[in-house]
Amino acid sequence: MAAVRVCVCGDEGTGKSSLITSLVKDIFVTTKIQSVLPSISLPPTLGTPESVTTTIVDTSALPKERENLRKELRKCNVILLVYSDHYSYERVALFWLPYFRSLGVNVPVVLCASKADLSANTTTAQVVEEEMLPVMAEFKEIDSCIRTSAREHHNINEVFFLCQKAVTHPIAPIYDSKESNLKPAAVAALQRIFYLCDKDQDGLLNDAEIHDFQLKCFDKPLSDADLDIVKRSIQRWSGDKATAEKGIDAAGFLLLNKMFAEKGRHETIWIILRKFHYTDSLSLKDTFLHPKFDLPPYSSAELSPAGYRFFVDLFLLHDKDNDGGLNDAELATLFAPTPGFPSSWIDSDFPSCTVRNEAGYITLQGWLAQWSMTTFEEPKTTLEYLAYLGFEGPQRVGTTAALKVTKARKRRNRPARVERSVFLCYVIGAGGSGKSSLLSAFLNRPFSSTYHPTIKPRTAVNSVELQGGRQCYLIMEELGELEPAIIENQAKLDACDLLCYTYDSSDPDSFSHIVDLRNRFPHLDGLPAVYTALKADQDRAVQRTEVQPDEYTERLRMPKPLHVSVRWGSISEFFVHLAESATFPATAFPKAEEDAADRTSLYIALGAAAVCAAAALAVWKKSTSGHA
């Protein structure tokens, strides 16, 4: 917030102008001052809670000034409502607060009992108990109350500090004074902060974690003596004697913040919330969840080494039983500080789309593959969840440090390596050709002879080790009934690295689907492709097409279809071949003419022959002229 605008209201003669004058001159002015002072601005250096400029506007309660009062009330951020005697106090509830409501003004109100020096025989405790608490209970817009004296310069700076704090650190979003409890949104935010600070996930903040929290939020260390005071305070309020020995649990952390709110130190809670990127509405900042991250055309996003390391550490931290998989309870704990699984994970039927162990729990390999796929398809989703899960990159870079942008891919029919490690392969073919079984084999699932037609797209992602030990991630997507629509979508094809054409080698009508598809969509020639004859363990059938698959691919000057079966142990080699074809797409492109390299050799040979012929002709001419 750049500025705080305070509108000072109240009945005539309550001392509004004296409060302002006493603040500016730092002394009580005994001479007569004008009834309404001009507005003044206080720079941030005068002790404001944050770097804000504070504008103080004096007003009149006279009926002829009512229009100006109305305008100022609608422009202000906070109202300082002043009363000084029983009559003006009665007017607070009977006129002023209902009047603010009638204008539709929804800003915090600081209630000020001025001229305390005139009622010296009345204690502040009595004023609070008899005057302030009853009206606060009736009007929730009252943020705080204070008793002042301009003559004695008592609480003058404090009253305007409260006005500033009511705007920069509002109590209303975080604490319910009627219920004497933190509000649900504040509880949820603080529970997430506790989770992120509990680095070892043991449910307690130990001394080291508390010290780290203190440094992060307040930029100064917490002494051992102060830490003991905090622990004793929690112990006294909660009655849990073991707290000081074990550490601070989530309930104790919430209790500590409740104590801050009840003691008027809610700015401490806001400092904590804002260090963890919360807004005044207790939602995470949009710039934090969605930082700027642009992808050039034909480039893709991948996890950087820092990103992979973060997700590895996150997996290992939450695999409490060390069984190599995250069960439902462990996943629920891991995603506790987030809105839940990303919607794309739900759409892809997570975790069945990636690698799981025998118990059905996602493994570390599957976990990294899942995030690699999410980053490739939706980098902004990965950035959002990195923020939720507490990834901390360099201050100026933030969560984008966990991602990297690949070199732009250019599809050309020439030997070249695609500089990326995550590839998308569309698996295309007739219904019943074995696409679903192929995806299941990719995830090391046992073969099932039961046929279930694929309706909506199905995805499988896993890591593949290429020759030389280099690892990449392959996303295989079966398109289902959306196959024609996806093939027609140029943006979808631009994201694709490889087409895997499949047909059932035992079904004579299976290959015709590929032929028809390529005839209908000739632009598919612009993508590298691998032809695959599935169910090779069964008897091979002659396809009912004009050209058999082998001859069809030969006419395209492409490798013949690979004959594979998901029942063979060598099926893993097929996935390596797919990944290598995506890495070196020139090996999987249709070739409409002879290789340029072959023509070059021919040109060299023809050139050499021409040089030899010219030399022979020169020798012949020389010899004939000699005889002459």
Side-chain angles (χ1 to χ4, degrees), residues 486-551:
I486 292 175
I487 290 174
E488 288 179 340
N489 188 323
Q490 190 59 48
K492 293 283 188 181
L493 290 182
D494 287 343
C496 176
D497 295 285
L498 182 71
L499 298 177
C500 178
Y501 292 115
T502 64
Y503 68 97
D504 179 355
S505 59
S506 66
D507 180 0
D509 297 315
S510 188
F511 188 73
S512 61
H513 179 83
I514 297 174
V515 176
D516 293 342
L517 205 64
R518 293 190 72 256
N519 288 336
R520 287 169 55 200
F521 304 106
H523 61 277
L524 293 177
D525 284 353
L527 280 79
V530 171
Y531 288 80
T532 312
L534 295 176
K535 303 184 184 181
D537 57 308
Q538 300 182 23
D539 292 338
R540 183 175 179 178
V542 176
Q543 295 296 313
R544 294 193 181 102
T545 53
E546 292 183 4
V547 180
Q548 292 301 298
D550 287 6
E551 185 181 351

Side-chain angles (χ1 to χ4, degrees), residues 157 233 277 324 348-349 354 368 374 414 430 491 506 579 584 594:
N157 291 332
S233 297
H277 308 283
S348 62
D349 199 22
T354 191
L368 296 179
T374 304
R414 66 179 185 184
S506 66
F584 299 96
E594 294 292 340

Side-chain angles (χ1 to χ4, degrees), residues 201-264:
Q201 285 296 297
D202 65 347
L204 295 170
L205 296 183
N206 57 40
D207 289 359
E209 290 167 341
I210 295 171
H211 282 298
D212 289 344
F213 168 78
Q214 170 76 15
L215 280 173
K216 178 180 176 67
C217 294
F218 305 101
D219 299 318
K220 59 182 180 181
L222 186 69
S223 68
D224 292 339
D226 288 339
L227 179 57
D228 287 339
I229 292 172
V230 170
K231 289 181 177 180
R232 284 199 299 272
S233 297
I234 295 174
Q235 178 182 322
R236 186 169 60 253
W237 281 58
S238 66
D240 183 2
K241 295 182 179 180
T243 300
E245 299 176 5
K246 298 177 183 178
I248 299 176
D249 60 10
F253 184 71
L254 290 174
L255 179 60
L256 179 64
N257 283 279
K258 180 185 175 184
M259 289 161 54
F260 289 147
E262 291 178 343
K263 291 182 178 181

Side-chain angles (χ1 to χ4, degrees), residues 181-194:
N181 272 319
L182 294 170
K183 290 188 175 179
V187 170
L190 291 168
Q191 284 177 331
R192 175 178 173 273
I193 291 170
F194 177 89

Side-chain angles (χ1 to χ4, degrees), residues 21 71 115 123 196 208 284 311 313 346 384 427 459 463 475 547 569 582 589:
T21 305
K71 289 179 181 178
K115 302 183 180 182
T123 65
L196 296 178
L284 287 169
F311 283 118
D313 292 343
I346 298 171
E384 181 180 349
V427 183
T459 303
S463 59
I475 306 166
V547 180
F589 262 112

Side-chain angles (χ1 to χ4, degrees), residues 132-183:
M132 294 178 173
L133 289 181
V135 75
M136 284 185 76
E138 184 179 354
F139 297 93
K140 295 188 71 174
E141 53 264 51
I142 299 178
D143 181 86
S144 55
C145 299
I146 190 169
R147 196 180 187 211
T148 65
S149 170
R151 183 179 297 277
E152 297 177 352
H153 202 74
H154 176 62
N155 280 344
I156 300 302
N157 291 332
E158 287 78 1
V159 68
F160 289 100
F161 174 78
L162 284 177
C163 292
Q164 295 164 345
K165 193 170 69 169
V167 179
T168 60
H169 303 94
I171 186 68
I174 58 177
Y175 187 72
D176 189 331
S177 56
K178 282 190 174 181
E179 299 290 335
S180 298
N181 272 319
L182 294 170
K183 290 188 175 179

Side-chain angles (χ1 to χ4, degrees), residues 270-289:
W270 278 115
I271 291 172
I272 295 169
L273 290 169
R274 286 170 181 160
K275 277 292 182 180
F276 284 87
H277 308 283
Y278 281 92
T279 65
D280 288 353
S281 61
L282 293 178
S283 60
L284 287 169
K285 291 180 181 177
D286 189 68
T287 53
F288 175 61
L289 290 177

